[in-house]
Every structure is written in C-alpha cells, then in structure tokens.
C-alpha cells in the first residue's frame, strides 16, 4: 500500500477488491493503445516527436517540470498525480496530436520513476493512466474532425468559436478518465469513496486553472517558443495547489500526532462496515478505549512526554489488532477499534481485553518505567445500535461504566445508559422540576446513643406528576451522566440552607448534611460558591456538613484536594459517606479532611448475624477514633443492631429505628418533640 503524504499510513480502502483488477488491466490497455498509435505513425511515415523550435521548447519545459517533481514532489506526486504534467500533455495534444502528447507524459513519468526506484510500479501505473486519459481527449477532439499531427499542426490561428467547447470537452475527458482511474487503482483521500466528493470539489479549481493555461501554452509554442520554459513557474504553482488540496483532505481525516484515522473517518468507515454486515447478516463491533489518569502524565511529565506516550500506545494497539480490524484516535487519550466482523459481544470483549493487556505492559519513557491502565467499552451491531453514531455513543457509555467500576472492559448495558429515550424524557422532566421547585428535600436525623440529635441529612425526593415517586438512585444517576448534577447540587444546597436559616430563626440550631458528587468537587470555584451561599443566607459554616465519597480522589486528586481544603478553610465540615465500598479506603482516608465517617448500610444490615461484617465495623470504629473522627452507622432498623453498635463504640446512628426521612414540617415537629435533646453547635461556629 502506498504511503500518504508525510509518510503516514493511509486508512484501508473500501474499494480494494476493485483496485486488484484495475491495476494490471490499465497498463495492458495503455500498452496496446500506444503500440497501435506508434505503429500507425511509423507506417504512415510520420515522425514521433517534433524537431522544430516548439518541440525543443517543450523538451526544455518538460526537463524543468521533471526536475521540480524529483526535487519537491516526493510521495505527493504518486498519490495525487501532477497538474503540470497534465498541462504539458494536453498542450502537446492540441498542437501535435496524440502520440507526441503521450511521449511527453511518459517522459515525465519515466524520468521521475527512474529517480525514485522504489516507485517504478507506480510509475508504470501512472504512465498508463495518462496514456488512456490523453487517448480519451484525442478521441473527443477527433469527433469534431480535429486530428493534429507533427506535419499538420492545429494552429491557434485556425481556432474558431466552436473551438472553446472542443477544448472544454477534451480536457474534461482527460480529467474524468485519469482521476477516475487514479482513484479506483489507489488510495482515495481518507481511504473512503464516500469522502471523495470534497476532494473532487477542491480539485475542480485545479481543473479550471488547467483549462485556462493549456491554450496559452499552445499560443506561446506556436508564436514565441523560446518563452515556453517560463511556463515552469505557473505549472509548478499549479502542482502545489493540486497537492495542497489533497493534503487538506487527508488532514481532515488523519490524526496529526499518531497518523491514525480520526473520528470523522471512523464514523464513515463504520457506516460502510455496518452496511456490509447488514447485507451478510453478520455482526460488527466498536471498542472505545480510554487511558486512565492520562492527565496526571501530562501534568507531571509535560505534554511532549504525553504525546510520546500516545504514540507508543497507538503502536501497541496497532500491533494487537486482529485481521480486518481498524483503529482510530478520537482525540485526547481516546482510541476506537472497529471490528467489521465479529461473532458475538463476548468475542469483541476478548479482543478488547487483549488490547488492554498489551497496553498494561511496562513501557520506557524518558528513563522512567510507566505502567498504563485503560478502560474499554464494547458495543455490537445490530444488538446495541443500528447506525454508526449510535454504536459509538453506546461504546462510550460502556467505557465509562468500565471506568467507574474499574472493571477494565464492559459491554453496553441499556440499564446503565442515561440517554435512552425514556431516560432522556425523564431528564427533561427533572430539569423542569428543578426550575419549578417541584423537587423536595426530606431530612433524616442522626442521633447519638444518649438521645441527642447529632444532625440531619438532607435527602432529595421527587414526585413525578405521571410516574409517581421516582427513586432517588434513578434520577440522581441521570443527573450524574447528563451534566445536570451541578444544577441539582445547587438546588439542594439552596433549599437546605433556606431551611436551616428558618430553623435557626425558630431557635432550632441543628446541623444539616448535604451529599455532593465528585463532579461538584472537581468544579473550580465550588468552595467559594458554597461560602457565598452560606453568607447570603446568614448561616454559619458549622451548620453545614457536606458528605462525599472516596471516589472524589480517583479522577482528579489534586483538584479534589484543593476544593476540600477550601471548604474546610471556610469552616464547612466534611463527612465521608459509604465508607468501605470504594477503593484504597485507608489511603484516601489519610488524604481527606473529614471529621465524620459513615459506615455503609451494607455492613450494618448484617452486623448481628455475620461475624465478618461485625469485625469490619469494629475495625472501622477503632480506626476512625484513632484518627479523631466521629463514626455514624447508616441503616439501623432494629434494637439489636442499635445495642451492638453502642457496644462497639459507634458515636451515632441513622435509620428507620430512629426516624425515616421526613418533609420539613414533620422534621420541625420531630425536633420540637425532642427539643431538649437537640445538640448545641460548638461555640466557635454558632
């Protein structure tokens, strides 16, 4: 396969089967046509090339063009042809006929091919294509009765108004034949026939310049042949324009860093693959690969090092591809692999695991040994999506599922997709509910074992007008995956602080905890926004507690640390929720500025019947106390669990045994009933 500009490997062709037949057929047809033309000229006693002054002028001009192509053309000439060579050939055709024009074209191809020995096969092919193109133009002119020869030149003085359409049709025939054969026998820009239209539009400008300059060359050759070499300048400019058009088309489909195809190419190639798979009743698959923590490489080692890492990653993926599979870089640290034919989702998943296995092998970079981890999502046609865009999007959903679960590879699961039609409708309803204030907060108490109220947790509730009560896990997950989470967090914080202000005005000084997501913590300025909201409502920072999970330290540890430090610097207290269900809990616990630790209900629920869960709770309480943290147990629903937690030294409990989550009015009544047990705020924050 021939190289693309700059030595880049072009994407595979979608007409490769056709080029296998055209490549040998074109030189054979051209050879026969040329042989017939030469024999007829020699048999009639005609010369093959003019020996007059215009002939010598064309010889000098041809030499200059060849020198230009050898010195500057490089690989471009072989993949896109030469406008200058075409102009020379057409000018010779108009003035002297078919065979001299073919000889000029073959001289260009032969001499450039001799200078580039590794390109001799391409030289033969291009020469043959030019022979057929010039022959098509000659036949077009002959249909009008114009058959110029060396002995009987077609002088410009004999041109009439009808000559213009003759020239147009002749040049059009040449361009049509040569461009079509070049495209069918080699790589079209981007490797896809459906993307050739843009290139043809750009090259139409070159064709216009070609039509304009050829008659001028003929006129100068007939009247001032000594000036012919001056045409080298505009012809070289014509070539440059020709190559720039092709390079621009290639650049639109090729990733400039890795040389891999880009997203546009992938989608177009996937469309072709899905059409083929649909006709054959087969499956296709897309694998989306994303590097884990790549940003830390850029931040620590610099972007140039990150670029070199991406080059090595691209090379490893290439080497691991099965037959017929194709890889593209979508941008950043995202790659996609197209499997045009696949047996099942399981086999596609196996390919993805093999690729991730090759990526996980240690690599050397700037004297450092790095181990790269990645996550991959798999989507299969036709089970998961009927079109290329949908398949890519669903592979993306699966990839984020793998990244979230840290499972390596996941196959698309509709239940985890926040963008199904039903969930999209629910997202729109949630957005309207937030705008209209239809989402409510209920408050669940946290109580110490001496009966004092340690605080309240604000829990979001949504009563849909048609669906009824929507489970919080469902609509919170939709908000997380859609980008609506910051809006939901703002709503909850605003509502909770309004309620805290009302309670404080009624002499109920109870702290309220609000859950925030990792996305909130990663948002620059989040700490300042919380502080401003506290000041606006006149609520002291000690009345607000933010509950986070260990996940905040996974994606962007530095940004998370900065935000949490800013929050605690303003006096906001932090609580670590769902402790024990994340990753590297002990490591993260040392880095998080929390004052409270909440034991997940999954451990509390079986505390009295499972010795392992009981031991986990005991060790968690001792660890937290050794770090000076308050321990709260979630999901307490019976007296036996209450007693066991008290014996283990837990500080407070939360659950149905104490009270369910209640609307504001019921929470106020509950607090009033236990007013003597409401915990006072520390003097420093009251």
């Amino acid at each position: 396969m021939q190289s693309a500009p700059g030595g880049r490997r072009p994407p595979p062709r979608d007409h490769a089967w056709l080029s296998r037949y055209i490549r040998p057929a074109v030189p054979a047809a051209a050879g026969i046509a040329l042989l017939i033309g030469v024999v007829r000229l020699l048999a009639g006693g005609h010369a093959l090339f003019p020996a007059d002054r215009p002939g010598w002028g064309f010889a000098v001009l041809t030499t200059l063009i060849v020198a230009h192509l050898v010195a500057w053309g490089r690989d471009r000439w072989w993949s896109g042809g030469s406008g200058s060579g075409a102009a020379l050939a057409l000018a010779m055709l108009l003035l002297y006929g078919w065979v001299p024009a073919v000889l000029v074209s073959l001289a260009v191809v032969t001499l450039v091919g001799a200078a580039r020995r590794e390109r001799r096969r391409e030289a033969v092919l291009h020469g043959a294509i030019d022979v057929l193109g010039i022959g098509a133009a000659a036949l077009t002119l002959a249909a009008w009765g114009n058959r110029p020869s060396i002995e009987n030149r077609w002088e410009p003085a004999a041109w009439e108004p009808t000559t213009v359409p003759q020239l147009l049709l002749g040049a059009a025939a040449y361009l049509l034949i040569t461009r079509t054969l070049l495209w069918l026998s080699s790589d079209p820009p981007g490797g896809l026939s459906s993307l050739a239209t843009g290139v043809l539009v750009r090259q139409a400008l070159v064709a216009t310049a070609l039509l304009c300059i050829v008659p001028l060359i003929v006129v100068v050759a007939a009247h001032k042949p000594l000036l012919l070499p001056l045409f080298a300048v505009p012809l070289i400019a014509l070539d440059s324009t020709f190559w720039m058009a092709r390079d621009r088309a290639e650049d639109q489909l090729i990733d400039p860093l890795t040389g891999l195809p880009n997203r546009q190419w992938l989608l177009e190639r996937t469309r072709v693959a899905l059409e083929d798979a649909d006709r054959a009743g087969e499956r296709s698959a897309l694998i989306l690969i994303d590097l884990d923590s790549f940003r830390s490489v850029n931040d620590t080692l610099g972007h140039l090092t990150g670029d070199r890492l991406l080059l090595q990653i691209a090379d490893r993926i290439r080497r691991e591809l099965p037959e017929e599979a194709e890889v593209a870089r979508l941008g950043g640290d995202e790659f996609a692999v197209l499997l045009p034919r696949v047996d099942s989702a399981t086999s596609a998943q196996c390919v993805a695991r093999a690729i991730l296995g090759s990526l996980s092998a240690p690599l050397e970079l700037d004297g450092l040994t790095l181990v790269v981890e990645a996550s991959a999502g798999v989507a299969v046609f036709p089970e998961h999506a009927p079109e290329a865009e949908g398949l890519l999007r669903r592979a993306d959903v699966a990839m984020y599922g793998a990244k979230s679960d840290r499972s390596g590879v996941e196959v698309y699961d509709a239940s985890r997709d926040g963008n199904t039609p039903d969930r999209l409708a629910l997202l729109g309803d949630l957005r309207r509910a937030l705008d209209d204030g239809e989402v409510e907060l209920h408050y669940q108490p946290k109580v110490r074992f001496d009966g004092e109220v340690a605080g309240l947790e604000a829990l979001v509730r949504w009563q849909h007008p048609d669906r009824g009560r929507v489970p919080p896990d469902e609509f919170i997950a939709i908000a997380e995956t859609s980008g609506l989470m910051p809006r939901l967090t703002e709503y909850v914080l605003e509502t909770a602080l309004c309620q805290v202000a009302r309670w404080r005005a009624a002499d109920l000084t109870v702290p309220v905890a609000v859950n925030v997501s990792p996305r909130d913590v990663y948002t620059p300025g989040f700490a300042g926004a919380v502080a401003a909201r506290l000041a606006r409502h006149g609520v002291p920072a000690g009345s607000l507690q933010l509950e986070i999970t260990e996940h905040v330290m996974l994606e962007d540890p530095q940004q998370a640390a900065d935000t949490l430090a800013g929050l605690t610097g303003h006096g906001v207290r932090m609580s670590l929720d769902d402790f024990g269900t994340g990753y590297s809990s002990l490591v993260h616990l040392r880095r998080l500025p929390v004052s409270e630790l909440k034991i997940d209900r999954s451990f509390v629920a079986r505390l009295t019947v499972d010795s392992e869960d009981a031991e986990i709770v005991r060790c968690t309480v001792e660890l937290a106390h050794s770090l000076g943290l308050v321990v709260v147990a979630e999901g307490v629903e019976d007296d036996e669990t209450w007693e066991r937690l008290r014996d283990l030294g837990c500080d407070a409990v939360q659950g149905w045994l104490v009270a369910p989550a209640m609307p504001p009015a019921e929470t106020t009544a509950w607090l009033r009933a236990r007013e003597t047990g409401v915990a006072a705020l520390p003097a420093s924050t009251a």
Side-chain angles (χ1 to χ4, degrees), residues 75-100:
D75 288 336
R76 293 172 173 175
W77 187 79
W78 303 105
S79 59
S82 166
S84 57
L88 281 176
L90 287 178
M92 285 293 292
L93 171 65
L94 294 179
L95 200 59
Y96 292 112
W98 181 66
V99 173

Side-chain angles (χ1 to χ4, degrees), residues 447-665:
V447 177
R448 299 190 182 99
F449 289 95
D450 60 5
E452 291 188 359
V453 179
L456 302 170
E457 180 180 0
L459 299 172
V460 65
R461 297 290 185 263
W462 180 25
Q463 188 74 19
H464 192 280
D466 300 321
R467 302 171 184 248
R469 182 177 178 273
V470 183
D473 289 347
E474 182 177 347
F475 68 81
I476 289 175
I478 292 174
E480 283 275 14
T481 57
S482 67
L484 189 60
M485 196 64 206
R487 172 77 178 89
L488 179 59
T489 301
E490 289 178 5
Y491 181 92
V492 172
L493 275 171
E494 182 69 20
T495 306
L497 290 177
C498 282
Q499 185 60 56
V500 171
R502 284 194 289 268
W503 279 330
R504 288 179 62 81
D507 294 327
L508 291 173
T509 54
V510 58
V512 173
V514 173
N515 290 275
V516 295
S517 75
R519 182 173 295 189
D520 299 320
V521 177
Y522 298 147
T523 303
F526 179 70
V530 171
R533 203 176 295 273
L534 284 165
R536 188 168 65 253
H537 289 285
V539 174
S543 293
L544 176 66
Q545 187 176 52
L546 298 182
E547 294 193 2
I548 59 174
T549 65
E550 298 159 89
H551 293 79
V552 301
M553 300 303 292
L554 293 180
E555 184 176 330
D556 193 344
Q558 187 57 53
Q559 179 62 45
D562 292 344
T563 299
L564 297 179
L567 288 167
T568 54
H570 288 300
V572 177
R573 293 185 297 164
M574 309 299 298
S575 174
L576 183 61
D577 198 12
D578 300 333
F579 181 77
T581 61
Y583 315 102
S584 305
S585 300
L586 299 181
V587 174
H588 294 156
L589 188 59
R590 294 295 302 271
R591 301 175 62 186
L592 294 171
V594 297
S595 59
E596 179 184 277
L597 183 150
K598 300 184 75 173
I599 302 175
D600 187 69
R601 64 181 65 248
S602 62
F603 299 111
V604 175
R606 296 179 55 81
L607 175 65
T608 60
V609 296
D610 191 316
S611 59
E612 291 185 357
D613 283 353
E615 186 63 18
I616 289 173
V617 172
R618 184 189 66 80
C619 293
T620 300
V621 171
E622 292 180 358
L623 172 65
H625 285 167
S626 70
L627 296 174
L629 305 180
V630 173
V631 182
V632 178
E634 296 181 293
V636 178
E637 299 183 359
D638 57 74
D639 292 331
E640 189 177 358
T641 303
W642 169 287
E643 297 294 339
R644 189 65 184 275
L645 287 167
R646 182 176 60 183
D647 294 341
L648 290 174
C650 187
D651 298 300
V653 297
Q654 178 181 349
W656 278 76
L657 181 66
V658 176
M662 301 171 287

Side-chain angles (χ1 to χ4, degrees), residues 264-421:
Q264 182 184 355
W265 178 91
L266 175 74
L267 287 173
E268 193 68 25
R269 183 66 186 90
T270 302
R271 292 187 190 104
V272 174
L274 298 191
E275 289 173 3
D276 293 343
D278 187 46
R279 283 193 296 268
E282 297 176 333
R283 292 181 175 88
S284 293
L286 267 180
I287 302 171
L288 193 64
I289 302 168
D290 185 85
L291 304 185
D292 297 335
S293 303
F294 176 73
R295 179 176 175 179
S296 61
V297 175
N298 277 339
D299 292 344
T300 305
L301 302 178
H303 289 278
L304 291 178
T305 301
D307 288 347
R308 291 201 298 275
L309 173 62
L310 289 174
L311 287 171
Q312 293 197 36
I313 294 297
D315 187 56
R316 287 190 176 187
I317 295 176
R318 255 197 224 104
R319 293 201 304 264
E320 198 61 35
L321 291 179
E323 187 177 358
E324 294 188 347
E326 297 160 18
V327 59
R329 182 188 177 210
L330 305 187
D333 57 347
E334 275 193 342
F335 297 84
V337 173
L338 170 65
L339 303 177
R341 293 179 179 82
V342 68
D343 294 332
S344 63
T346 302
S347 59
Q349 194 174 20
C350 290
V351 172
R353 293 196 184 281
I355 293 173
L356 294 195
S358 70
L359 298 183
S360 64
L363 54 84
E364 297 292 328
L365 202 64
D366 291 341
L368 298 175
T369 300
L370 301 179
V371 176
V372 176
E373 294 183 353
S375 300
V378 177
V380 178
F381 167 86
E383 289 93 326
H384 298 148
E387 79 292 331
E389 290 82 357
L391 204 64
L392 180 61
R393 187 186 62 76
R394 291 180 175 175
D396 187 63
V397 171
M399 184 273 292
Y400 276 106
K403 190 178 286 288
S404 175
D405 296 343
R406 302 188 71 82
S407 57
V409 179
E410 289 289 336
V411 177
Y412 173 76
D413 180 359
S415 65
R416 303 187 66 177
D417 188 352
N419 294 321
T420 60

Side-chain angles (χ1 to χ4, degrees), residues 90 93-94 132-146 154 161-178 207 210-212 214-215:
L90 287 178
L93 171 65
L94 294 179
L132 296 179
I134 295 168
L139 289 174
T140 303
L141 294 177
W144 293 74
N146 294 316
W154 188 21
T162 56
T163 302
V164 175
Q166 295 178 47
L167 297 179
L168 290 173
L169 289 175
Y174 172 82
L175 289 171
L176 177 64
I177 295 299
T178 55
L210 183 68
L211 291 173
C212 293
V214 167

